[in-house]
Amino acid sequence: MFPPQSEVLPLKPIPGSYGLPLFGAIKDRLDYFYNQGKDEFFSTRAKKYQSTVFRTNMPPGPFIAQNPKVIAVLDAISFPVLFDTSKIEKFDVLDGTYLPSLSFTGGHRVCAYLDPSEPNHTSLKSFFMSFLASKHNDFIPLFRTCLSEMFVDIEDEMGSKKTAGFNDPSDAMSFNFVFRLFCGKDPSKTKLGSEGPAAVDKWLGLQLAPLATLGFPKFLKHFEDLLIHTFPIPFFPVKSDYKKLYDAFYASSGSVLDKAESVGIDRDEACHNLVFIAGFNAYGGMKAWFPTLIKWVGQAGEKLHSQLANEIRTVVKEEGGVSFQALEKMTLTKSVVYEALRIEPGVPFQYGKAKEDIVINSHDAAYEIKKGEMIFGYQPFATKDPKIFDHAEEFVGDRFVGEGENLLKYVYWSNGRETEDPTVGNKQCPGKDLVVLLSRLLLVDLFLRYDTFTVETAVLPFGSSVTLTSLIKATST
């Protein structure tokens, strides 16, 4: 289906253009956000250059990013170069070609901004990986408790309005789970009260605004572009919100911070990293991801719902409950989660700078990248590569069942292959396995309670808005 890795491919110059200084980057930004949109921006250029590797500018560009020039990699073969930390530097590239003010993180370059070669990366990532391992036995009961509270809220809204929004209850559930996991207490019992999700949303929003649109009418596109894409966004509008978050985590996570200090991490730095991994990585990821999962499963229809319900209820009955062992036996449920992660990964972008002159391969050519050049990967194209996946644009729930598991090495959502594991020496998400586990649990509890459901969806700046339009309670368990 694609060239063997040993095949010598022709070395070609990288096609594409950055355009005129300043104006080329602004034109590409307007195309990306307004004139074409993300997918068309990349597809038209790939078609024009007859290549899945090409040069372009990436937003936000002037005057937020000093250098918007990138080499885009859009296929499943070239994309994984971004995981190879022997060739790629990951210094301050979390958000791409720009770095938000460090005021958003208490003046610290948190772990997500660090390259694995930096000593702090090793100490911080190993600490959080160790923390997650210590909480292993809490994952299932704690998350199921939070899910139960969410479904009660959804049913109450369905009862009064006949429909229910999924996003707000999901956000509240996600923040509740994350805070209780890291801090051991209900956030409503702290000074945050019920304001945690809103505070994080504002803090996240200002950091990520240069990568998004606000949905203004088209005639206001230049106003919006000037407002959020042209000049660095200051921290002060969310200063008080961030202080509330920091203070709540600092006051409630004493044992975690004590442990961080015992391994040589400054307490203040540890807490700012804790807020980031809990708020940006964990809650922020769940905020975008859980509605996306429900959207794809909802749109898949009643046949898949029936198959999932049958598998989940059968295994739970056989195993005597929901356990790690039971979840591993749910092959269709696992596949559905992987398929949703494939078709719409929660983080669509990956960046990295070449540490040295390197050669990368696509399906049909090789390209030389010079030291210091920025490489950009648009993951939704790489994980919907038609030369790897049959019916790549379709949601196929059982794609990864049986022999289909061999394709998991082309699922890249975690900043690494699904078949690989996070280490202190790479930038793969330390919560990779936890995200998959929680996604399965969401489907398990959903189909233990309900037979089927329908959804209406809309596009948000990051992710999707999902409204449940029907929710049929389980007729059998």
Side-chain angles (χ1 to χ4, degrees), residues 293-439:
L293 175 61
I294 294 300
K295 176 187 77 172
W296 285 105
V297 174
Q299 291 176 341
E302 196 167 345
K303 180 180 178 182
L304 179 63
H305 299 174
S306 177
Q307 293 170 335
L308 285 168
N310 180 63
E311 174 183 81
I312 289 165
R313 294 169 194 176
T314 299
V315 172
V316 169
K317 186 175 181 180
E318 290 174 351
E319 293 294 320
V322 179
S323 62
F324 289 103
Q325 182 175 322
L327 292 168
E328 279 303 308
K329 291 186 175 182
M330 299 176 188
T331 55
L332 178 61
T333 305
K334 289 196 293 185
S335 177
V336 165
V337 169
Y338 290 137
E339 176 66 348
L341 288 165
R342 178 197 72 85
I343 201 166
E344 191 174 347
V347 180
F349 316 122
Q350 295 292 345
Y351 287 85
K353 283 186 179 179
K355 288 184 174 181
E356 57 192 26
D357 292 355
I358 59 174
V359 174
I360 64 168
N361 289 347
S362 66
H363 287 288
D364 48 19
Y367 302 93
E368 185 177 10
I369 296 175
K370 297 294 185 181
K371 178 180 179 180
E373 290 192 295
M374 181 75 88
I375 305 170
F376 160 78
Y378 187 51
Q379 191 175 154
F381 276 30
T383 55
K384 288 186 286 190
D385 188 332
K387 293 186 178 180
I388 299 296
F389 295 103
D390 294 331
H391 308 290
E393 298 288 338
E394 299 177 18
F395 183 87
V396 181
D398 62 355
R399 185 184 297 276
F400 297 103
V401 173
E403 290 295 315
E405 287 190 14
N406 294 328
L407 293 171
L408 284 175
K409 63 185 176 182
Y410 299 110
V411 176
Y412 301 145
W413 71 272
S414 64
N415 198 13
R417 296 183 187 272
E418 188 58 35
T419 50
E420 297 175 353
D421 296 315
T423 69
V424 295
N426 64 29
K427 292 299 290 182
Q428 191 164 24
C429 172
K432 163 184 171 276
D433 292 338
L434 179 59
V435 171
V436 174
L437 172 71
L438 300 183
S439 302

Side-chain angles (χ1 to χ4, degrees), residues 26-40:
I26 293 174
K27 177 186 181 301
D28 282 348
R29 184 172 75 204
L30 293 174
D31 282 347
Y32 178 88
F33 285 123
Y34 307 108
N35 301 332
Q36 295 177 314
K38 290 193 290 286
D39 284 5
E40 187 179 344

Side-chain angles (χ1 to χ4, degrees), residues 135-420:
K135 292 291 183 177
H136 181 80
N137 291 332
D138 296 338
F139 294 155
I140 292 178
L142 177 57
F143 192 63
R144 295 194 73 205
T145 297
C146 296
L147 283 175
S148 180
E149 295 167 359
M150 180 188 77
F151 284 124
V152 168
D153 291 341
I154 287 173
E155 287 188 15
D156 287 347
E157 187 175 350
M158 290 289 291
S160 61
K161 297 182 181 178
K162 308 304 179 188
T163 64
F166 179 77
N167 294 62
D168 287 347
S170 177
D171 289 354
M173 177 275 295
S174 298
F175 186 81
N176 190 18
F177 170 76
V178 170
F179 195 89
R180 290 169 70 172
L181 182 70
F182 282 99
C183 300
K185 64 165 57 177
D186 189 323
S188 66
K189 307 299 183 186
T190 72
K191 291 183 179 180
L192 278 175
S194 61
E195 298 177 3
V200 180
D201 288 350
K202 286 187 275 185
W203 174 68
L204 286 173
L206 289 196
Q207 293 178 77
L208 297 176
L211 302 178
T213 58
L214 302 176
F216 286 179
K218 281 196 172 182
F219 72 90
L220 291 175
K221 69 180 183 181
H222 293 294
F223 169 74
E224 180 188 87
D225 193 57
L226 182 66
L227 182 68
I228 62 174
H229 301 146
T230 306
F231 300 104
I233 295 176
F235 169 65
F236 73 82
V238 294
K239 183 177 180 179
S240 62
D241 295 288
Y242 185 72
K243 187 175 187 308
K244 281 183 186 177
L245 289 167
Y246 178 88
D247 288 347
F249 276 93
Y250 194 90
S252 303
S253 61
S255 62
V256 179
L257 299 180
D258 289 345
K259 179 65 175 174
E261 281 193 305
S262 74
V263 296
I265 302 171
D266 174 78
R267 195 175 188 88
D268 178 66
E269 182 178 13
C271 192
H272 285 293
N273 272 274
L274 180 60
V275 174
F276 194 90
I277 198 168
F280 195 111
N281 298 131
Y283 167 79
M286 293 177 189
K287 178 181 178 66
W289 168 241
F290 287 150
T292 299
L293 175 61
I294 294 300
K295 176 187 77 172
W296 285 105
V297 174
Q299 291 176 341
E302 196 167 345
K303 180 180 178 182
L304 179 63
H305 299 174
S306 177
Q307 293 170 335
L308 285 168
N310 180 63
E311 174 183 81
I312 289 165
R313 294 169 194 176
T314 299
V315 172
V316 169
K317 186 175 181 180
E318 290 174 351
E319 293 294 320
V322 179
S323 62
F324 289 103
Q325 182 175 322
L327 292 168
E328 279 303 308
K329 291 186 175 182
M330 299 176 188
T331 55
L332 178 61
T333 305
K334 289 196 293 185
S335 177
V336 165
V337 169
Y338 290 137
E339 176 66 348
L341 288 165
R342 178 197 72 85
I343 201 166
E344 191 174 347
V347 180
F349 316 122
Q350 295 292 345
Y351 287 85
K353 283 186 179 179
K355 288 184 174 181
E356 57 192 26
D357 292 355
I358 59 174
V359 174
I360 64 168
N361 289 347
S362 66
H363 287 288
D364 48 19
Y367 302 93
E368 185 177 10
I369 296 175
K370 297 294 185 181
K371 178 180 179 180
E373 290 192 295
M374 181 75 88
I375 305 170
F376 160 78
Y378 187 51
Q379 191 175 154
F381 276 30
T383 55
K384 288 186 286 190
D385 188 332
K387 293 186 178 180
I388 299 296
F389 295 103
D390 294 331
H391 308 290
E393 298 288 338
E394 299 177 18
F395 183 87
V396 181
D398 62 355
R399 185 184 297 276
F400 297 103
V401 173
E403 290 295 315
E405 287 190 14
N406 294 328
L407 293 171
L408 284 175
K409 63 185 176 182
Y410 299 110
V411 176
Y412 301 145
W413 71 272
S414 64
N415 198 13
R417 296 183 187 272
E418 188 58 35
T419 50
E420 297 175 353

